[in-house]
Amino acid sequence: AIEVITSSTRKVKVKCRITGEEKIVDKRVWNWVVANITLMAMGSSAPEILLSVVETCLDLGKAPGNLGAACIVGSGTYNFFVISAICMASLN
């Protein structure tokens, strides 16, 4: 899953600073930190998103409820600030 995504590479031409000759090297497509932070944010948002979808499906044809919007905003705020801060602090 996440290992497959973060291990993908592509061929890139790199010029040697000393000799000036070009070499073809493998470069990672994804930064593993960004991929893991994204996976963590998606995983922690899944319950709120599912709750919002269930509420929406149950309330079709009625006035929209407040639960869905509150879950999305609360989860987004938490993911943006707390999870990103913890991941960035762990890199130091």
PDB file of all heavy atoms in Angstrom, residues 33-56:
ATOM      1  N   VAL A  33       7.652  11.310   3.724  1.00  0.00           N
ATOM      2  CA  VAL A  33       7.039  12.046   4.832  1.00  0.00           C
ATOM      3  C   VAL A  33       5.670  12.586   4.416  1.00  0.00           C
ATOM      4  O   VAL A  33       4.680  12.446   5.135  1.00  0.00           O
ATOM      5  CB  VAL A  33       7.959  13.196   5.304  1.00  0.00           C
ATOM      6  CG1 VAL A  33       7.282  14.031   6.365  1.00  0.00           C
ATOM      7  CG2 VAL A  33       9.272  12.656   5.813  1.00  0.00           C
ATOM      8  N   VAL A  34       5.606  13.177   3.231  1.00  0.00           N
ATOM      9  CA  VAL A  34       4.344  13.727   2.734  1.00  0.00           C
ATOM     10  C   VAL A  34       3.324  12.614   2.536  1.00  0.00           C
ATOM     11  O   VAL A  34       2.146  12.756   2.895  1.00  0.00           O
ATOM     12  CB  VAL A  34       4.573  14.510   1.422  1.00  0.00           C
ATOM     13  CG1 VAL A  34       3.258  14.941   0.805  1.00  0.00           C
ATOM     14  CG2 VAL A  34       5.470  15.698   1.673  1.00  0.00           C
ATOM     15  N   ALA A  35       3.753  11.481   1.994  1.00  0.00           N
ATOM     16  CA  ALA A  35       2.834  10.363   1.770  1.00  0.00           C
ATOM     17  C   ALA A  35       2.290   9.832   3.093  1.00  0.00           C
ATOM     18  O   ALA A  35       1.094   9.553   3.206  1.00  0.00           O
ATOM     19  CB  ALA A  35       3.546   9.257   1.003  1.00  0.00           C
ATOM     20  N   ASN A  36       3.130   9.712   4.099  1.00  0.00           N
ATOM     21  CA  ASN A  36       2.678   9.192   5.390  1.00  0.00           C
ATOM     22  C   ASN A  36       1.777  10.184   6.117  1.00  0.00           C
ATOM     23  O   ASN A  36       0.805   9.783   6.761  1.00  0.00           O
ATOM     24  CB  ASN A  36       3.870   8.814   6.266  1.00  0.00           C
ATOM     25  CG  ASN A  36       4.520   7.539   5.793  1.00  0.00           C
ATOM     26  OD1 ASN A  36       3.864   6.673   5.239  1.00  0.00           O
ATOM     27  ND2 ASN A  36       5.813   7.420   6.016  1.00  0.00           N
ATOM     28  N   ILE A  37       2.078  11.466   6.028  1.00  0.00           N
ATOM     29  CA  ILE A  37       1.209  12.475   6.652  1.00  0.00           C
ATOM     30  C   ILE A  37      -0.162  12.460   5.991  1.00  0.00           C
ATOM     31  O   ILE A  37      -1.191  12.529   6.664  1.00  0.00           O
ATOM     32  CB  ILE A  37       1.846  13.881   6.554  1.00  0.00           C
ATOM     33  CG1 ILE A  37       3.035  13.988   7.492  1.00  0.00           C
ATOM     34  CG2 ILE A  37       0.836  14.964   6.885  1.00  0.00           C
ATOM     35  CD1 ILE A  37       3.829  15.261   7.329  1.00  0.00           C
ATOM     36  N   THR A  38      -0.186  12.331   4.669  1.00  0.00           N
ATOM     37  CA  THR A  38      -1.454  12.278   3.949  1.00  0.00           C
ATOM     38  C   THR A  38      -2.258  11.047   4.345  1.00  0.00           C
ATOM     39  O   THR A  38      -3.470  11.131   4.585  1.00  0.00           O
ATOM     40  CB  THR A  38      -1.206  12.272   2.429  1.00  0.00           C
ATOM     41  OG1 THR A  38      -0.437  13.418   2.096  1.00  0.00           O
ATOM     42  CG2 THR A  38      -2.496  12.274   1.655  1.00  0.00           C
ATOM     43  N   LEU A  39      -1.598   9.906   4.439  1.00  0.00           N
ATOM     44  CA  LEU A  39      -2.274   8.680   4.842  1.00  0.00           C
ATOM     45  C   LEU A  39      -2.832   8.806   6.256  1.00  0.00           C
ATOM     46  O   LEU A  39      -3.962   8.387   6.522  1.00  0.00           O
ATOM     47  CB  LEU A  39      -1.322   7.495   4.753  1.00  0.00           C
ATOM     48  CG  LEU A  39      -1.910   6.148   5.135  1.00  0.00           C
ATOM     49  CD1 LEU A  39      -2.971   5.728   4.124  1.00  0.00           C
ATOM     50  CD2 LEU A  39      -0.831   5.104   5.226  1.00  0.00           C
ATOM     51  N   MET A  40      -2.074   9.401   7.165  1.00  0.00           N
ATOM     52  CA  MET A  40      -2.538   9.579   8.531  1.00  0.00           C
ATOM     53  C   MET A  40      -3.751  10.512   8.578  1.00  0.00           C
ATOM     54  O   MET A  40      -4.723  10.257   9.293  1.00  0.00           O
ATOM     55  CB  MET A  40      -1.418  10.145   9.405  1.00  0.00           C
ATOM     56  CG  MET A  40      -1.799  10.259  10.868  1.00  0.00           C
ATOM     57  SD  MET A  40      -0.502  10.984  11.873  1.00  0.00           S
ATOM     58  CE  MET A  40       0.788   9.803  11.682  1.00  0.00           C
ATOM     59  N   ALA A  41      -3.715  11.581   7.811  1.00  0.00           N
ATOM     60  CA  ALA A  41      -4.838  12.520   7.789  1.00  0.00           C
ATOM     61  C   ALA A  41      -6.091  11.866   7.215  1.00  0.00           C
ATOM     62  O   ALA A  41      -7.190  12.041   7.739  1.00  0.00           O
ATOM     63  CB  ALA A  41      -4.463  13.758   6.985  1.00  0.00           C
ATOM     64  N   MET A  42      -5.932  11.084   6.143  1.00  0.00           N
ATOM     65  CA  MET A  42      -7.084  10.406   5.560  1.00  0.00           C
ATOM     66  C   MET A  42      -7.652   9.365   6.504  1.00  0.00           C
ATOM     67  O   MET A  42      -8.866   9.222   6.638  1.00  0.00           O
ATOM     68  CB  MET A  42      -6.688   9.761   4.224  1.00  0.00           C
ATOM     69  CG  MET A  42      -6.511  10.755   3.117  1.00  0.00           C
ATOM     70  SD  MET A  42      -5.852  10.074   1.574  1.00  0.00           S
ATOM     71  CE  MET A  42      -6.468   8.446   1.476  1.00  0.00           C
ATOM     72  N   GLY A  43      -6.788   8.627   7.166  1.00  0.00           N
ATOM     73  CA  GLY A  43      -7.241   7.596   8.094  1.00  0.00           C
ATOM     74  C   GLY A  43      -7.973   8.160   9.291  1.00  0.00           C
ATOM     75  O   GLY A  43      -8.960   7.591   9.760  1.00  0.00           O
ATOM     76  N   SER A  44      -7.514   9.292   9.779  1.00  0.00           N
ATOM     77  CA  SER A  44      -8.185   9.878  10.942  1.00  0.00           C
ATOM     78  C   SER A  44      -9.458  10.615  10.552  1.00  0.00           C
ATOM     79  O   SER A  44     -10.322  10.838  11.387  1.00  0.00           O
ATOM     80  CB  SER A  44      -7.226  10.821  11.683  1.00  0.00           C
ATOM     81  OG  SER A  44      -6.916  11.917  10.869  1.00  0.00           O
ATOM     82  N   SER A  45      -9.615  10.967   9.286  1.00  0.00           N
ATOM     83  CA  SER A  45     -10.829  11.648   8.827  1.00  0.00           C
ATOM     84  C   SER A  45     -11.922  10.680   8.410  1.00  0.00           C
ATOM     85  O   SER A  45     -13.081  11.081   8.283  1.00  0.00           O
ATOM     86  CB  SER A  45     -10.513  12.542   7.626  1.00  0.00           C
ATOM     87  OG  SER A  45      -9.675  13.579   7.999  1.00  0.00           O
ATOM     88  N   ALA A  46     -11.584   9.435   8.191  1.00  0.00           N
ATOM     89  CA  ALA A  46     -12.553   8.466   7.684  1.00  0.00           C
ATOM     90  C   ALA A  46     -13.814   8.355   8.540  1.00  0.00           C
ATOM     91  O   ALA A  46     -14.916   8.348   7.995  1.00  0.00           O
ATOM     92  CB  ALA A  46     -11.892   7.103   7.506  1.00  0.00           C
ATOM     93  N   PRO A  47     -13.724   8.271   9.872  1.00  0.00           N
ATOM     94  CA  PRO A  47     -14.968   8.164  10.657  1.00  0.00           C
ATOM     95  C   PRO A  47     -15.887   9.375  10.491  1.00  0.00           C
ATOM     96  O   PRO A  47     -17.106   9.204  10.370  1.00  0.00           O
ATOM     97  CB  PRO A  47     -14.483   8.058  12.104  1.00  0.00           C
ATOM     98  CG  PRO A  47     -13.095   7.561  12.008  1.00  0.00           C
ATOM     99  CD  PRO A  47     -12.551   8.116  10.727  1.00  0.00           C
ATOM    100  N   GLU A  48     -15.323  10.562  10.464  1.00  0.00           N
ATOM    101  CA  GLU A  48     -16.144  11.763  10.317  1.00  0.00           C
ATOM    102  C   GLU A  48     -16.790  11.833   8.934  1.00  0.00           C
ATOM    103  O   GLU A  48     -17.954  12.193   8.802  1.00  0.00           O
ATOM    104  CB  GLU A  48     -15.315  13.027  10.562  1.00  0.00           C
ATOM    105  CG  GLU A  48     -14.916  13.226  12.005  1.00  0.00           C
ATOM    106  CD  GLU A  48     -13.636  12.497  12.366  1.00  0.00           C
ATOM    107  OE1 GLU A  48     -13.035  11.868  11.471  1.00  0.00           O
ATOM    108  OE2 GLU A  48     -13.257  12.544  13.535  1.00  0.00           O
ATOM    109  N   ILE A  49     -16.032  11.477   7.924  1.00  0.00           N
ATOM    110  CA  ILE A  49     -16.574  11.511   6.566  1.00  0.00           C
ATOM    111  C   ILE A  49     -17.677  10.471   6.425  1.00  0.00           C
ATOM    112  O   ILE A  49     -18.739  10.744   5.849  1.00  0.00           O
ATOM    113  CB  ILE A  49     -15.455  11.302   5.524  1.00  0.00           C
ATOM    114  CG1 ILE A  49     -14.520  12.518   5.538  1.00  0.00           C
ATOM    115  CG2 ILE A  49     -16.025  11.058   4.149  1.00  0.00           C
ATOM    116  CD1 ILE A  49     -13.281  12.356   4.717  1.00  0.00           C
ATOM    117  N   LEU A  50     -17.474   9.270   6.976  1.00  0.00           N
ATOM    118  CA  LEU A  50     -18.500   8.235   6.926  1.00  0.00           C
ATOM    119  C   LEU A  50     -19.751   8.668   7.677  1.00  0.00           C
ATOM    120  O   LEU A  50     -20.868   8.436   7.207  1.00  0.00           O
ATOM    121  CB  LEU A  50     -17.951   6.936   7.528  1.00  0.00           C
ATOM    122  CG  LEU A  50     -18.140   5.718   6.655  1.00  0.00           C
ATOM    123  CD1 LEU A  50     -17.113   5.748   5.542  1.00  0.00           C
ATOM    124  CD2 LEU A  50     -18.028   4.480   7.472  1.00  0.00           C
ATOM    125  N   LEU A  51     -19.583   9.296   8.827  1.00  0.00           N
ATOM    126  CA  LEU A  51     -20.720   9.786   9.604  1.00  0.00           C
ATOM    127  C   LEU A  51     -21.504  10.826   8.813  1.00  0.00           C
ATOM    128  O   LEU A  51     -22.735  10.812   8.799  1.00  0.00           O
ATOM    129  CB  LEU A  51     -20.242  10.384  10.925  1.00  0.00           C
ATOM    130  CG  LEU A  51     -21.307  10.818  11.914  1.00  0.00           C
ATOM    131  CD1 LEU A  51     -22.148   9.632  12.351  1.00  0.00           C
ATOM    132  CD2 LEU A  51     -20.649  11.464  13.126  1.00  0.00           C
ATOM    133  N   SER A  52     -20.812  11.701   8.132  1.00  0.00           N
ATOM    134  CA  SER A  52     -21.475  12.721   7.313  1.00  0.00           C
ATOM    135  C   SER A  52     -22.229  12.106   6.149  1.00  0.00           C
ATOM    136  O   SER A  52     -23.343  12.525   5.819  1.00  0.00           O
ATOM    137  CB  SER A  52     -20.445  13.716   6.781  1.00  0.00           C
ATOM    138  OG  SER A  52     -19.815  14.364   7.842  1.00  0.00           O
ATOM    139  N   VAL A  53     -21.639  11.101   5.513  1.00  0.00           N
ATOM    140  CA  VAL A  53     -22.294  10.432   4.384  1.00  0.00           C
ATOM    141  C   VAL A  53     -23.552   9.710   4.855  1.00  0.00           C
ATOM    142  O   VAL A  53     -24.610   9.779   4.206  1.00  0.00           O
ATOM    143  CB  VAL A  53     -21.315   9.462   3.679  1.00  0.00           C
ATOM    144  CG1 VAL A  53     -22.037   8.555   2.705  1.00  0.00           C
ATOM    145  CG2 VAL A  53     -20.218  10.230   2.979  1.00  0.00           C
ATOM    146  N   VAL A  54     -23.467   9.019   5.994  1.00  0.00           N
ATOM    147  CA  VAL A  54     -24.638   8.310   6.527  1.00  0.00           C
ATOM    148  C   VAL A  54     -25.746   9.299   6.870  1.00  0.00           C
ATOM    149  O   VAL A  54     -26.919   9.075   6.546  1.00  0.00           O
ATOM    150  CB  VAL A  54     -24.247   7.465   7.760  1.00  0.00           C
ATOM    151  CG1 VAL A  54     -25.477   6.966   8.496  1.00  0.00           C
ATOM    152  CG2 VAL A  54     -23.377   6.297   7.336  1.00  0.00           C
ATOM    153  N   GLU A  55     -25.380  10.409   7.521  1.00  0.00           N
ATOM    154  CA  GLU A  55     -26.392  11.416   7.864  1.00  0.00           C
ATOM    155  C   GLU A  55     -27.049  11.986   6.607  1.00  0.00           C
ATOM    156  O   GLU A  55     -28.259  12.166   6.553  1.00  0.00           O
ATOM    157  CB  GLU A  55     -25.781  12.546   8.677  1.00  0.00           C
ATOM    158  CG  GLU A  55     -26.821  13.568   9.080  1.00  0.00           C
ATOM    159  CD  GLU A  55     -26.233  14.868   9.583  1.00  0.00           C
ATOM    160  OE1 GLU A  55     -25.134  15.236   9.131  1.00  0.00           O
ATOM    161  OE2 GLU A  55     -26.884  15.513  10.404  1.00  0.00           O
ATOM    162  N   THR A  56     -26.256  12.226   5.599  1.00  0.00           N
ATOM    163  CA  THR A  56     -26.791  12.773   4.347  1.00  0.00           C
ATOM    164  C   THR A  56     -27.745  11.785   3.687  1.00  0.00           C
ATOM    165  O   THR A  56     -28.823  12.168   3.216  1.00  0.00           O
ATOM    166  CB  THR A  56     -25.642  13.119   3.390  1.00  0.00           C
ATOM    167  OG1 THR A  56     -24.792  14.071   4.021  1.00  0.00           O
ATOM    168  CG2 THR A  56     -26.156  13.690   2.087  1.00  0.00           C
TER     169      THR A  56
END
